[in-house]
Amino acid sequence: MAMPLQISDLEVRAGRRMLLTVAELSAPAGALIGIRGPSGAGKSTFLHALSGLIEARGRLCWGEVDLPRLRPERRTAFRARNMGLIFQDFLLFEELSPQDNAGLSGLFKPRRNREAIGARAAKALARLGVPEGTRTVGSFSGGERQRVAIARALATDPGLLLADEPTASLDRRAADALIEDLTGLARAGGKTLIAVSHDTHLLERLDRVLTIEDGQVTEDTGVQAA
Amino acid sequence: MRDSWDSLPVLAQDLIIAGALLLPLLVIGGVLMRGFRPLPLVRALMWRFRWANLLFILLIAVSTGMGIGLIAQERGLRIGSAQAAEKFDLVVTAPGSELTMMLAAVFLQPSAVPLLDGVAYDRIANHPQVQIAAPIAFGDSHDGAPVVGTITDFVTYLSDGRIEGRIFARSGEAVVGAAIDLQIGDRFTPAHGRGSGADAEAHEGVEIEVVGRMARSGSPWDRAILIPVETVWEVHGLANGHTFEEGDRIGPPFTPELFPGTPAVIVHAGELWANYALRSEFTVAGETMAFFPGTVLADLYRVMGDVRQAMSVMSIVTQVLVAASVLLGLFILTRLFQRQLAMLRALGAPRRFVMAVVWGYGVTLLVAGTALGLAFGYAAALVLSRIVTQRTDILVTASITWAEVNLALGFLSAMSLLSLVPALVVLTRPVVENLRQ
Amino acid sequence: MKHLLAALLLMTTPVLAEEGHDHDEPAHAFEIGGLEILHPWTNATDHDHALLFMDLHNEGAAPVEILGARLDSGVEGQLVGFRMKGGEMGFETLPPIPVAPGRQLALAPDGLAIRFDGLEAVLEEGHHWEVILLTSAGELEIDVVIEAEDARQHGHAGHSH
């Protein structure tokens, strides 16, 4: 289930150094948001804060849940239930089949959810046109691998999709095809998508783009639109 | 508590010990894996690092197998030699080294030993508690096998009466051990001495006929040729223990004055306790020496036991070193898949699941290595046993007992505990840092 | 005295030296019904079991049976014989053993011994231990020397130290 995002006075530090501050930000459930900015500006840090992978101060609410206030294991559980993550270099298990990679969450989710996860993984793989069969993903192209990764993110039916440079490892054609699929699936499923990217083709297809420089949101197309 | 433990059958005790040793492993496994399915990922890791894994498994297997093989072999040799000596309750010889005398009289190792005279033999043979007093006269050989002069009672006792053909009935007949390459009806001429120094021509003209074959006993006597002690004396041109009037009769009683001497007398008493009394009685300073081969072996085993302990310590040290290197290897390998483990955490996998994967991977290596090690140990013991049996004719059987299995299980369990360390270390680094690598 | 020494010489195996037995004779020899008991000894132990060793010589005219031994506390000692069975060392309980007139019997490690189980006190090296020897000729209190834990013979045999 997609949830609205509400941020106020968010701070992320590494020791004394301030990595990121976001004074005020909100987004409705089902929004497709891009984050851009120069390297090292704090884009990934923002994504990690949004997914609860790092400690943060202030309010960062997904729906009713204020993520920074949760203990790490509760954040992990929240992530497992509500988020699908997509990485730049896919992070697949080369030795496993596409089906097993896509259904990876089933290995640690309660038994009763396993079947549903497997079914959704299979459906997503089919929808994304990943070749069927038992071979491992070791022989797959970059585009095929990222499709498996997307299927893995969708297998738990999360309300939120968080992607870190999902097209950066792909050639143009593969990237464009992937953008089509990713945004299409997010909209069709009513999911919130937040993607860190340099790829203008991707950013163009999103509802709203934030620019982060020096740990601050310096531009927000959503605000202008509002 | 202690009583109820003692009242259990040995197998039950061993199984309980094995279970107790495995308990930590099972508990850790149960706690870590409950509700999870880490095995596909463990399999993936096994395949990804297959060559390194194979090396680790072999390392564990060789170190485990070495320790087990040594212990099993030592026990096999101990049991084999004790069984080979079991028929020899009490040995009486001229004073000297008990070990030398035992090796000569019981294990038929060639050696020059002084003789007991007819009076000494007579005293032993006529003791009321003595059932069999068998002179053992060795020194000749045929085709490398010792030719031993003795009496029919001893042949029957030694073979438990399991003789194919018949026992020798007159001088010039022989009963051969199971491993001797002579058929009933074959004739041979004994050589004087044994080994490379044997003189084949010394007894030319003497022909001994094989009339019987003893069943296999698993002792050096399987490769011996038994003939009447009179024959031994006769072929050496000595008196044969009997007066002219007695004709061709063989066996006791002997006339002390016509008894040329025997290196050893094997004594079998009618009752168990009598052996101990006889040992005291036949130990006469400067005349005779009586000993239990079992006691001499016990002394030998004590020395062997010390050596075994030293070897056990060495093999444990080896095991610990192997364990350390396997742990180090686990550390290095887990570094190699740290990003994927971080990814699992990012996907929402609990810490316990990640630990289950790393620990399961380590334990898979350990279990495979230990199982293979038991097989290695058994194979090593089997090969060593064959060699020892072939060289000494002491039947050494290789066997892996619960003691070895439990040793291996103890190692496995301790290592599985230590495998938690790399699993925990993986979790100490922040997920985000590992993702960025 | 001379007789005793001769008997002792008969008993000791050739590896044992023959000197030095006279000085402790009075304390280490006991007699009942013609049966001489020489050098009773045991090993120091903190277990609850011990083996009692000694040299016996029947100087009398009638056979004497060795039945066993007991302690003042009532703990009984049994005659046992060392046996090697299937490569395992162990002891077997034995019936009473007669010592015929003029014969000797040695209770020594890896041979014959009187075994005590369920001892209440530890046996300390250098101390003495009161044991009652049971024979067909009667009971006799003997004073047992406690030798080192790993001693294989009594302290005056062989003088190997």
Side-chain angles (χ1 to χ4, degrees):
Chain A
M1 186 190 70
M3 288 168 281
L5 173 67
Q6 181 71 50
I7 293 177
S8 55
D9 300 325
L10 185 74
E11 289 184 356
V12 180
R13 293 167 189 266
R16 285 189 173 177
R17 200 159 61 91
M18 184 69 78
L19 295 181
L20 178 76
T21 52
V22 180
E24 205 66 45
L25 187 83
S26 61
L32 271 56
I33 301 170
I35 301 171
R36 70 174 170 201
S39 296
K43 305 186 301 288
S44 290
T45 302
F46 191 29
L47 200 69
H48 292 149
L50 288 169
S51 56
L53 282 168
I54 50 173
E55 299 291 330
R57 281 205 212 155
R59 267 166 57 82
L60 193 166
C61 291
W62 287 107
E64 300 298 309
V65 179
D66 189 359
L67 215 48
R69 299 178 71 129
L70 293 183
R71 282 186 288 112
E73 276 309 293
R74 300 294 301 273
R75 290 206 297 267
T76 304
F78 180 83
R79 200 160 53 239
R81 215 168 26 248
N82 300 297
M83 294 182 189
L85 271 67
I86 298 158
F87 308 93
Q88 178 180 337
D89 52 356
F90 335 124
L91 287 173
L92 300 177
F93 277 91
E94 305 274 306
E95 299 80 5
L96 299 182
S97 68
Q99 177 68 48
D100 284 346
N101 265 297
L104 198 64
S105 299
L107 299 182
F108 51 82
K109 287 277 195 158
R111 203 176 297 270
R112 61 182 185 283
N113 297 350
R114 272 178 206 157
E115 215 169 298
I117 289 171
R120 272 196 298 269
K123 203 175 131 198
L125 286 172
R127 159 76 180 75
L128 289 161
V130 174
E132 276 183 55
T134 53
R135 62 186 174 140
T136 64
V137 300
S139 57
F140 274 19
S141 69
E144 286 170 321
R145 282 171 197 233
Q146 197 58 299
R147 282 184 162 74
V148 173
I150 290 172
R152 180 175 69 190
L154 292 171
T156 54
D157 193 23
L160 315 168
L161 284 175
L162 304 177
D164 193 359
E165 301 282 8
T167 59
S169 298
L170 309 180
D171 61 45
R172 192 63 261 160
R173 253 185 59 183
D176 286 343
L178 189 98
I179 289 164
E180 197 67 39
D181 287 332
L182 183 60
T183 54
L185 279 167
R187 283 190 204 284
K191 300 179 192 303
T192 305
L193 170 67
I194 299 182
V196 167
S197 185
H198 287 99
D199 189 341
T200 47
H201 289 224
L202 172 58
L203 295 174
E204 277 167 9
R205 302 290 298 267
L206 305 178
D207 303 336
R208 181 175 169 188
V209 176
L210 308 176
T211 306
I212 293 185
E213 285 166 312
D214 275 341
Q216 313 255 349
V217 179
T218 53
E219 200 191 334
D220 184 347
T221 58
V223 174
Q224 285 167 350
Chain B
M1 180 70 191
R2 173 129 213 125
D3 284 347
S4 55
W5 172 255
D6 288 340
S7 69
L8 286 172
V10 177
L11 181 65
Q13 289 182 356
D14 287 329
L15 284 173
I16 289 170
I17 292 172
L21 284 169
L22 274 183
L23 199 61
L25 183 114
L26 296 175
V27 168
I28 296 171
V31 167
L32 284 183
M33 305 210 172
R34 191 175 49 83
F36 295 153
R37 281 182 57 225
L39 288 187
L41 297 187
V42 170
R43 266 205 304 277
L45 294 178
M46 288 302 291
W47 180 248
R48 183 177 309 175
F49 305 118
R50 52 196 173 276
W51 300 114
N53 293 339
L54 189 67
L55 189 72
F56 283 135
I57 289 172
L58 286 177
L59 212 59
I60 297 166
V62 167
S63 71
T64 313
M66 221 171 60
I68 284 171
L70 276 176
I71 296 171
Q73 182 55 27
E74 190 267 349
R75 186 190 44 242
L77 188 59
R78 188 154 43 86
I79 293 173
S81 54
Q83 273 166 353
E86 208 137 78
K87 289 268 179 186
F88 299 79
D89 298 335
L90 184 66
V91 179
V92 185
T93 64
S97 151
E98 290 183 351
L99 185 59
T100 308
M101 295 300 189
M102 181 189 71
L103 288 176
V106 178
F107 294 97
L108 298 176
Q109 297 297 308
S111 77
V113 296
L115 302 180
L116 289 175
D117 64 14
V119 178
Y121 175 77
D122 209 43
R123 202 164 66 84
I124 298 163
N126 289 325
H127 193 287
Q129 297 296 345
V130 171
Q131 204 171 61
I132 302 172
I136 299 290
F138 37 80
D140 286 346
S141 67
H142 171 68
D143 201 11
V147 174
V148 182
T150 186
I151 58 173
T152 53
D153 279 356
F154 180 70
V155 180
T156 309
Y157 170 67
L158 187 70
S159 61
D160 288 319
R162 294 179 302 153
I163 296 172
E164 176 198 338
R166 63 174 173 84
I167 206 154
F168 49 72
R170 58 180 186 80
S171 186
E173 291 184 338
V175 173
V176 296
I180 291 287
D181 196 20
L182 284 174
Q183 303 306 314
I184 292 173
D186 284 355
R187 290 165 172 276
F188 68 95
T189 300
H192 187 69
R194 270 182 80 186
S196 53
D199 180 355
E201 274 100 50
H203 302 316
E204 214 162 328
V206 176
E207 276 217 332
I208 296 175
E209 187 191 352
V210 178
V211 297
R213 177 188 294 278
M214 294 187 289
R216 192 168 284 277
S217 68
S219 79
W221 292 78
D222 284 342
R223 207 174 287 279
I225 299 170
L226 306 186
I227 60 174
V229 66
E230 289 86 347
T231 310
V232 175
W233 292 326
E234 283 161 7
V235 302
H236 288 88
L238 302 166
N240 73 356
H242 302 288
T243 58
F244 186 73
E245 291 77 48
E246 287 178 77
D248 287 340
R249 191 179 70 78
I250 58 166
F254 299 99
T255 308
E257 302 78 54
L258 299 174
F259 187 94
T262 180
V265 180
I266 309 294
V267 175
H268 175 64
E271 281 165 279
L272 178 61
W273 64 263
N275 285 310
Y276 302 96
L278 292 173
R279 172 161 82 150
S280 295
E281 292 201 26
F282 296 149
T283 298
V284 181
E287 290 180 32
T288 58
M289 171 178 87
F291 63 91
F292 301 134
T295 301
V296 180
L297 284 173
D299 277 335
L300 210 57
Y301 299 160
R302 280 192 194 98
V303 177
M304 269 164 71
D306 290 345
V307 174
R308 174 184 50 182
Q309 265 179 350
M311 290 196 296
S312 300
V313 169
M314 285 198 300
S315 79
I316 286 172
V317 169
T318 313
Q319 291 238 47
V320 169
L321 287 177
V322 166
S325 60
V326 169
L327 275 184
L328 191 69
L330 271 182
F331 269 112
I332 295 167
L333 292 181
T334 46
R335 293 296 281 220
L336 290 179
F337 57 82
Q338 218 158 15
R339 278 201 78 202
Q340 258 138 337
L341 297 175
M343 176 272 289
L344 287 173
R345 296 276 294 138
L347 287 189
R351 286 165 179 274
R352 188 164 66 86
F353 177 76
V354 175
M355 276 186 81
V357 171
V358 176
W359 183 83
Y361 167 54
V363 165
T364 304
L365 294 180
L366 288 167
V367 169
T370 307
L372 197 61
L374 281 168
F376 273 7
Y378 183 66
L382 213 61
V383 170
L384 283 172
S385 301
R386 287 243 176 88
I387 294 171
V388 173
T389 304
Q390 219 162 44
R391 296 222 173 137
T392 63
D393 289 308
I394 298 170
L395 183 68
V396 177
T397 26
S399 61
I400 300 288
T401 68
W402 280 98
E404 287 89 73
V405 173
N406 284 343
L407 195 77
L409 290 183
F411 173 74
L412 180 62
S413 219
M415 282 298 291
S416 73
L417 265 172
L418 287 175
S419 299
L420 283 174
V421 177
L424 281 166
V425 168
V426 165
L427 293 174
T428 54
R429 285 191 54 172
V431 176
V432 169
E433 251 172 65
N434 286 339
L435 274 179
R436 278 201 191 113
Q437 253 178 5
Chain C
M1 170 68 214
K2 224 175 168 170
H3 193 79
L4 256 174
L5 197 65
L8 207 72
L9 284 181
L10 283 175
M11 273 183 283
T12 50
T13 55
V15 284
L16 307 183
E18 295 146 8
E19 81 272 282
H21 284 280
D22 46 351
H23 57 85
D24 58 340
E25 204 75 6
H28 264 167
F30 306 86
E31 192 268 333
I32 184 167
L35 184 75
E36 297 271 1
I37 296 115
L38 283 154
H39 294 304
W41 68 280
T42 187
N43 293 108
T45 178
D46 50 7
H47 300 295
D48 66 345
H49 49 88
L51 294 173
L52 173 59
F53 307 113
M54 64 189 79
D55 293 336
L56 301 167
H57 186 211
N58 192 347
E59 301 263 322
V64 179
E65 279 195 343
I66 312 302
L67 308 172
R70 66 175 169 84
L71 303 180
D72 257 347
S73 62
V75 176
E76 297 214 350
Q78 275 191 310
L79 259 182
V80 292
F82 178 85
R83 283 277 274 179
M84 177 72 72
K85 254 221 154 111
E88 297 299 325
M89 306 172 211
F91 288 94
E92 240 166 285
T93 310
L94 296 176
I97 298 184
V99 186
R103 308 273 197 188
Q104 63 260 340
L105 186 64
L107 276 63
D110 292 347
L112 212 51
I114 294 174
R115 184 176 63 192
F116 286 93
D117 285 310
L119 293 183
E120 281 144 16
V122 299
L123 300 176
E124 278 180 66
E125 185 180 350
H127 285 64
H128 287 243
W129 186 35
E130 296 298 326
V131 174
I132 298 155
L133 187 68
L134 311 177
T135 76
S136 58
E139 298 187 355
L140 173 69
E141 187 167 305
I142 55 173
D143 183 47
V144 178
V145 176
I146 302 171
E147 303 283 0
E149 204 173 336
D150 56 352
R152 305 283 297 153
Q153 54 196 11
H154 64 81
H156 292 277
H159 280 269
S160 46
H161 50 267

